Amino acid sequence: MSINWEFVMTALPLYEKAAWLTLKLALWGIVSSLLIGLLCSIVLYYKTKGLAPLVRCYIELSRNTPLLIQLFFLYYGLTKLGVTLSEQTCGIAGLAFLGGSYMAEAFRGGVESVSKSQIESGLSIGLSNRQLVRYVILPQAFSVTLPSLGANCIFLLKETSIVGAIAIPDLMHVTQDLIGMYYQTFESLLMLVLAYLILIFPLSIFLTWLERKVRYAEFGN
């Protein structure tokens, strides 16, 4: 099968623009989900009265509903309540809503891995709960949860392929448009695969390197 290089060169700027938009959505979604997950894990760890049950409900709702349904609710459902959000805002909110629950579970596992003796030692020298979280719990939890956090980041980057369903001109949306207009299926899908590979592979390499650095700092080997 021969490749239509003329079509590839014509479509390349569209893929470049879509790749930057996809990366932007993924970045904001990942950062937001990390913050949500961290806050939720702290609430669950301290069993904060009134908030812990709400966090558990959020995690179950987020993990047990598809991202596509969440995006449709944000983009179409909220308009019935008088709330109108832009396509990109809905995309970022959907990624944050989904990713936050996975990040929360990852952080929770790391936080609970910190031994009680270290927490008691921190309390015995007069650390407040805030200082205990900052200087004792989070540094150790981060090293434990880093592989899970990295996997979740890659997962969210791949999940951006869903946001095109609400008319965001991301990589998948551009690919579908080009196939529908020019019927260049092989070339369009090839550029889609390569675009995601270019976005995800460096992130995977960086996370692997970071995990080794953290492991070396913790264990010295």
Side-chain angles (χ1 to χ4, degrees):
M1 177 184 295
S2 61
I3 297 178
N4 187 340
W5 291 107
E6 182 179 355
F7 171 79
V8 170
M9 297 306 297
T10 302
L12 199 56
L14 297 176
Y15 276 91
E16 181 181 359
K17 183 177 179 180
W20 282 112
L21 177 58
T22 299
L23 189 60
K24 173 186 173 182
L25 294 174
L27 179 61
W28 281 106
I30 289 171
V31 171
S32 301
S33 65
L34 285 170
L35 293 176
I36 293 172
L38 180 59
L39 291 175
C40 289
S41 65
I42 293 175
V43 169
L44 292 177
Y45 180 75
Y46 284 107
K47 298 180 175 63
T48 306
K49 187 176 181 180
L51 292 179
L54 294 177
V55 169
R56 293 192 188 95
C57 290
Y58 154 66
I59 291 175
E60 292 302 320
L61 175 63
S62 174
R63 287 164 62 93
N64 292 290
T65 53
L67 176 59
L68 182 61
I69 304 302
Q70 296 170 10
L71 291 173
F72 280 174
F73 177 80
L74 290 171
Y75 191 62
Y76 298 109
L78 289 183
T79 56
K80 299 296 183 180
L81 303 177
V83 180
T84 303
L85 301 176
S86 67
E87 294 87 350
Q88 293 189 28
T89 301
C90 288
I92 294 171
L95 291 171
F97 184 81
L98 176 65
S101 60
Y102 286 92
M103 297 297 185
E105 290 294 285
F107 276 122
R108 185 172 66 87
V111 168
E112 291 180 352
S113 69
V114 179
S115 64
K116 292 184 179 180
S117 61
Q118 297 195 41
I119 296 175
E120 292 171 354
S121 298
L123 293 174
S124 67
I125 62 175
L127 294 180
S128 64
N129 285 335
R130 181 179 297 179
Q131 291 173 324
L132 191 66
V133 170
R134 179 179 179 182
Y135 297 111
V136 178
I137 297 177
L138 287 185
Q140 297 182 66
F142 177 74
S143 64
V144 174
T145 61
L146 185 57
S148 297
L149 295 178
N152 289 337
C153 290
I154 294 174
F155 164 72
L156 288 176
L157 181 52
K158 290 190 289 187
E159 283 295 288
T160 57
S161 60
I162 304 296
V163 301
I166 55 173
I168 297 178
D170 69 320
L171 287 169
M172 181 62 74
H173 190 271
V174 167
T175 300
Q176 291 174 332
D177 281 351
L178 290 174
I179 292 175
M181 289 187 295
Y182 301 105
Y183 301 100
Q184 299 291 335
T185 304
F186 178 78
E187 289 83 357
S188 299
L189 292 177
L190 178 62
M191 286 191 286
L192 175 65
V193 170
L194 292 177
Y196 270 107
L197 184 63
I198 291 171
L199 293 178
I200 295 174
F201 187 67
L203 177 61
S204 178
I205 295 298
F206 170 74
L207 291 172
T208 301
W209 171 83
L210 184 60
E211 184 181 344
R212 290 176 180 174
K213 285 291 184 180
V214 171
R215 187 186 301 120
Y216 179 82
E218 183 177 3
F219 300 108
N221 54 37

